[in-house]
Amino acid sequence: MPTHPTAAQVLDLLVETLARHSNFSMNDNREIRRLRPKVSNVERGADIVRQGDRPKLAIMVVSGMLARYHTAPNGDRQYLSLHIAGDLPDLQSLFLGIMDHSVCALDEAQIAAFAHSEILSLVRRAPPAGLAFWRHTLIDAAIFRQAITSNGRRSAVARVAHLFCEQFTRARAVGSVSGWSCPFPLSQTQIGQVVGLSLPTIHRATQSLRKEGCAEVHSGTLRILNWRRLSRQAGFDPIYLHADVAERD
């Protein structure tokens, strides 16, 4: 994406994202391209939507990384999911009036906002396009389920390894990798807030993965040192990402 993408380029990204998991006709494609996105820049750490908000817009990541999170009564943060280019992290706000979580930028990011009214009108005009949006949320749910299993049943090293595998696999699907590296702008504290572990435990886990030649994070970049070794540590099976759904239809 250029520094200031046009509406047409943003819609190209949206269509590419939906087509990765769904099949739809040229007419549906044209209907999606009638949407009128508004692109804006978001500073690192800024909230885009907050718990308790009643949004009238749904956002899509154009560049950078966003995260959904809950804030506990004591102020502690639990990251629920990470989102990269093409993701629609708050699409469920179409039907849930009040946000039960927040969405923030983990680094400098660009987002495109779509009016709820326009998306709902699209769903009525082109039901297959609506199904594509729905499928996108179902894959989101599959990633949530995997995170629950990971944080509940995997060891500290396996949790971090699984997170690395998932993010690299998803970045590769959208062309955001360079060789065996991809953007990963999380601090060790934030990694802990994703996988539910303390900072000292995260430090030991990441050091273990580096020393064993699996993966390392440096200056906002995840570098895979040995994919087979890392995925074995994680017990990683990418089936839950449903990358081949459209091909099976």
Side-chain angles (χ1 to χ4, degrees):
M1 280 289 171
T3 304
H4 298 289
T6 65
Q9 289 168 324
V10 169
L11 293 171
D12 284 344
L13 177 61
L14 175 60
V15 168
E16 179 185 339
T17 297
L18 298 178
R20 196 173 297 123
H21 303 295
S22 300
N23 289 322
F24 40 81
S25 69
M26 289 300 296
N27 181 65
D28 298 322
N29 189 320
R30 285 191 294 270
E31 291 294 336
I32 293 170
R33 291 178 187 277
R34 288 176 59 185
L35 294 172
R36 295 172 296 175
K38 294 183 179 179
V39 180
S40 59
N41 297 324
V42 186
E43 294 182 358
R44 181 187 183 98
D47 281 336
I48 299 163
V49 186
R50 293 186 175 91
Q51 236 168 285
D53 283 356
R54 297 175 180 269
K56 301 298 182 184
L57 303 168
I59 60 172
M60 180 182 76
V61 187
V62 177
S63 65
M65 183 180 286
L66 307 187
R68 284 189 277 208
Y69 71 91
H70 274 151
T71 303
N74 64 359
D76 287 347
R77 183 173 291 192
Q78 173 68 52
Y79 287 111
L80 307 170
S81 56
L82 306 178
H83 297 276
I84 58 177
D87 285 355
L88 294 135
D90 70 340
L91 194 57
Q92 55 271 70
S93 66
L94 275 170
F95 301 107
L96 300 177
I98 301 177
M99 288 291 287
D100 56 26
H101 60 276
S102 302
V103 179
C104 71
L106 293 177
D107 59 355
E108 300 291 325
Q110 278 186 331
I111 61 170
F114 298 90
H116 284 178
S117 58
E118 287 194 10
I119 297 177
L120 292 171
S121 178
L122 167 65
V123 170
R124 287 190 289 270
R125 293 193 314 269
L131 291 175
F133 279 104
W134 183 30
R135 180 170 275 167
H136 185 84
T137 65
L138 293 177
I139 293 169
D140 247 4
I143 295 172
F144 271 132
R145 289 191 292 272
Q146 189 64 220
I148 291 168
T149 299
S150 189
N151 289 1
R153 304 301 300 174
R154 291 187 173 100
S155 69
V157 171
R159 287 188 212 182
V160 177
H162 197 277
L163 175 64
F164 289 172
C165 287
E166 179 178 285
Q167 288 309 118
F168 182 80
T169 300
R170 297 186 68 229
R172 184 166 55 186
V174 299
S176 294
V177 301
S178 176
W180 286 96
S181 298
C182 70
F184 193 78
L186 282 76
S187 67
Q188 290 209 340
T189 296
Q190 289 171 319
I191 295 173
Q193 290 171 325
V194 172
V195 298
L197 296 169
S198 68
L199 182 57
T201 304
I202 288 295
H203 180 72
R204 288 192 296 271
T206 53
Q207 287 298 307
S208 174
L209 291 172
R210 183 182 61 80
K211 289 176 182 177
E212 292 177 18
C214 296
E216 63 182 5
V217 175
H218 182 69
S219 300
T221 298
L222 168 63
R223 179 169 170 245
I224 307 300
L225 304 175
N226 186 305
W227 175 257
R228 185 172 296 178
R229 197 175 296 157
L230 178 67
S231 58
R232 188 167 54 243
Q233 277 275 20
F236 181 69
D237 181 349
I239 191 171
Y240 69 97
L241 297 174
H242 298 282
D244 63 341
V245 168
E247 284 136 19
R248 290 205 308 268
D249 283 355

